[in-house]
Amino acid sequence: MSTPSLADAPWLTAAATRKVMAALEAGGGPDVARFVGGCVRNSLMGRPVDDVDIATRLEPQAVMAALQAAGLKAVPTGLDHGTVTAVADSQPFEITTLRRDVTTDGRRATVAFTTDWAEDAGRRDFHINALYADSQGRLFDPTGQGLADIAARRVVFVGDAGRRIREDRLRILRFFRFHAWYGAGEPDAAGLAACVEEAGGLAELSAERVSKELLKLLAAPDPVATVEAMAHTGILAHLLPEARTLEDFRAMAAVTGDPVLRLSPLLPAAPEALDAAVRALRLSRREMTRLQVLTGPVLDLETLDDRQVRARVYGEGRPAVKDRLVQALSQKPALRDRFDAFTALVETWAVPRLPVGGREVAALGIQPGPDTGALLKAFEADWVANDFPDAGHLERLTALRGQREG
C-alpha cells in the first residue's frame, strides 16, 4: 500500500505556511524543517487543523535569524525548550528544535537539541503524534507505527508507556483525552495499565493543567466510554474524588457538547462542596458561576411555561437560563420540542427595563431613602409576577404604596 501524502492539504499550501517553510529552508537547506503533530495527524484522519506546528534541525537562534532575514516576525516563546513562534500573514506557527530529554521530573524536562528526527520522535507521547511531513507533503513515520495507529484509531505510547508517563504525569490525562477524540474500541491495554500504575503522580500536577486537559477531554464528540474507563480504573477518583454516578453524566453528554455542562454531573451537588471542588480545579470565575447555577432544583420542561421562562431570564440572565434548560433536557430528552421552543424564547425575547424609578416614586410624595427602594422592589416583584405588563405602571405603584401604608 502506498504511503499517503499531504501535498494538497490547504494549510500546507497556504501562502503563510509557504513563507515560513521557505525561510527555514533558506536558513538551513532542504529537509531542515518538517510539519509535526496535530496538523499531520488531523489531516490524515480528516479532522480540522487549527494549528500548524513545525519541527526543525535549526537551533532557536538560527530559527530567529532565518525568520527575520525573510522579513517575518519571530517571537522567542520558549528558547530553553527550543520553541520560537513565527508570525506570517497574522498567523502563528510554533517552531521547535529537534530535541531529546536529558532529565525529567514528571512535570518539566531539561532538553538537549539534536538533528536526529528519530530521536525527536522517540521523546513524543503517542505514535499518532510522532508523524512528520516535509514541505512537499511527504510523510515520515520514525516510530514505524504512527500510520498504522492512525488507520486503526489506536492511541499507543511511544516506547515504554510507564517511562513516557513518568516524564510528564499529564500524559495520563492526554492518553484518555486522545482516545476520546481519536481512538476506537477499548483503550490500549499497555497504556491503560501504565496509567493506573502511575496514577498517584497526578497529585503532582498543577490544578490548571489538570482542568484544561479534563475540559478538552469532555469536549470530545462522545467522551462517555472514555470517562467510564477512567471511572472503572480509579483514574477519575484521583481527579474528582466526589464524582457522582455516571448516569447523569451520560444523560448530559447525550444532549450537549459543552464541556462545562458535561462536567457538572461529575461534581458535588451541594453548593459548598461544589465551590470547594471548583476552587480545587482552579476553574475560571465564569466557569464557576455556570456550575453554581446548576446546583438548584432542575427545571421541569413538562410544567414550565413561557411566563416562567421570561421571569427567569429577567432575574438570572440568558446564559444561566440556557444552561438550566440544557440540564432539564438531559433529564427529559423526550421533551426536545419544548426545549427548542423555550431556548428560542430565551434567545429572542427583548428583556424590558423596569418602567418606573425614583422620579415616579418621588411624584407620590415619598422622600428619597429606604422607602423608595422598598417600594420599587415591591413594584418590580409584582411587575415580573404579572409577566411584564407595558401599561398601568403609575396606578400599580400607587396601589402598592397604599398597601404598604395600610
Side-chain angles (χ1 to χ4, degrees):
M1 188 172 86
S2 61
T3 301
S5 169
L6 302 183
D8 297 328
W11 58 267
L12 188 147
T13 59
T17 307
R18 308 311 303 167
K19 290 176 184 177
V20 173
M21 291 299 279
L24 295 173
E25 290 173 352
D31 200 36
V32 73
R34 295 176 182 174
F35 304 105
V36 68
C39 58
V40 179
R41 178 197 66 233
N42 282 21
S43 291
L44 289 170
M45 300 188 80
R47 303 288 184 88
V49 172
D50 298 320
D51 302 304
V52 178
D53 293 337
I54 299 170
T56 181
R57 287 171 164 162
L58 292 175
E59 295 200 2
Q61 294 298 338
V63 172
M64 298 275 291
L67 294 172
Q68 290 165 353
L72 300 176
K73 183 177 180 180
V75 183
T77 44
L79 293 185
D80 289 346
H81 285 79
T83 302
V84 174
T85 298
V87 181
D89 298 341
S90 301
Q91 180 181 348
F93 296 80
E94 188 173 278
I95 304 169
T96 303
T97 301
L98 303 187
R99 55 193 180 173
R100 57 181 173 83
D101 292 336
V102 177
T103 61
T104 59
D105 63 5
R107 290 178 296 175
R108 61 187 69 85
T110 301
V111 302
F113 300 135
T114 181
T115 58
D116 188 338
W117 295 104
E119 195 169 27
D120 183 75
R123 67 171 297 278
R124 295 184 179 271
D125 49 10
F126 311 114
H127 297 146
I128 63 173
N129 292 338
L131 290 165
Y132 303 76
D134 66 12
S135 59
Q136 304 306 308
R138 290 186 292 262
L139 288 166
F140 300 86
D141 185 4
T143 70
Q145 299 177 69
L147 290 173
D149 284 355
I150 289 280
R153 294 184 62 191
R154 291 188 300 256
V155 178
V156 182
F157 282 99
V158 173
D160 180 76
R163 179 179 177 181
R164 293 285 83 79
I165 291 170
R166 288 189 292 276
E167 290 168 351
D168 185 353
R169 306 292 186 180
L170 191 69
R171 285 174 172 168
I172 295 175
L173 298 187
R174 285 174 62 84
F175 174 75
F176 289 104
R177 192 247 293 187
F178 276 84
H179 181 74
W181 277 94
Y182 304 110
E186 296 295 324
D188 174 65
L192 187 63
C195 289
V196 173
E197 179 71 21
E198 303 292 339
L202 288 169
E204 301 171 9
L205 298 172
S206 70
E208 291 86 352
R209 294 185 80 197
V210 170
S211 60
K212 182 178 180 180
E213 200 67 30
L214 184 59
L215 289 173
K216 286 182 178 179
L217 188 162
L218 293 176
D222 184 4
V224 171
T226 300
V227 172
E228 288 177 341
M230 294 172 70
H232 294 158
T233 55
I235 300 293
L236 190 63
H238 283 274
L239 309 173
L240 304 171
E242 296 181 293
R244 290 175 272 155
T245 173
L246 294 185
E247 183 178 353
D248 286 345
F249 167 72
R250 296 186 197 99
M252 184 68 83
V255 300
T256 180
D258 188 309
V260 175
L261 292 180
R262 286 175 166 181
L263 176 62
S264 62
L266 300 174
L267 296 174
E272 289 186 4
L274 172 68
D275 289 350
V278 169
R279 285 194 297 270
L281 286 171
R282 300 285 180 87
L283 295 175
S284 70
R285 185 177 297 275
R286 180 176 179 272
E287 290 162 343
M288 176 182 288
T289 299
R290 292 184 68 194
L291 290 165
Q292 288 170 332
V293 164
L294 301 177
T295 61
V298 178
L299 299 181
D300 185 349
L301 291 176
E302 197 163 8
T303 60
L304 195 65
D305 61 33
D306 288 358
R307 288 170 59 123
Q308 293 171 335
V309 170
R310 283 190 286 266
R312 287 190 176 278
V313 171
Y314 181 84
E316 301 173 17
R318 293 185 205 276
V321 178
K322 289 175 71 173
D323 281 352
R324 295 192 68 182
L325 286 172
V326 173
Q327 181 189 43
L329 178 64
S330 73
Q331 298 299 302
K332 293 186 177 180
L335 299 180
R336 165 69 72 169
D337 288 347
R338 290 181 64 79
F339 165 82
D340 290 341
F342 290 138
T343 300
L345 175 61
V346 171
E347 293 174 344
T348 59
W349 182 57
V351 181
R353 296 180 61 183
L354 190 67
V356 299
R359 179 182 301 177
E360 288 76 13
V361 174
L364 298 179
I366 298 175
Q367 296 299 314
D371 287 344
T372 296
L375 183 55
L376 285 175
K377 186 175 181 180
F379 175 87
E380 183 177 38
D382 181 82
W383 179 63
V384 172
N386 285 283
D387 201 23
F388 310 95
D390 56 8
H393 306 312
L394 294 181
E395 293 84 349
R396 189 57 188 156
L397 192 65
T398 301
L400 289 169
R401 177 197 181 186
Q403 292 173 13
R404 291 177 58 80
E405 291 179 350

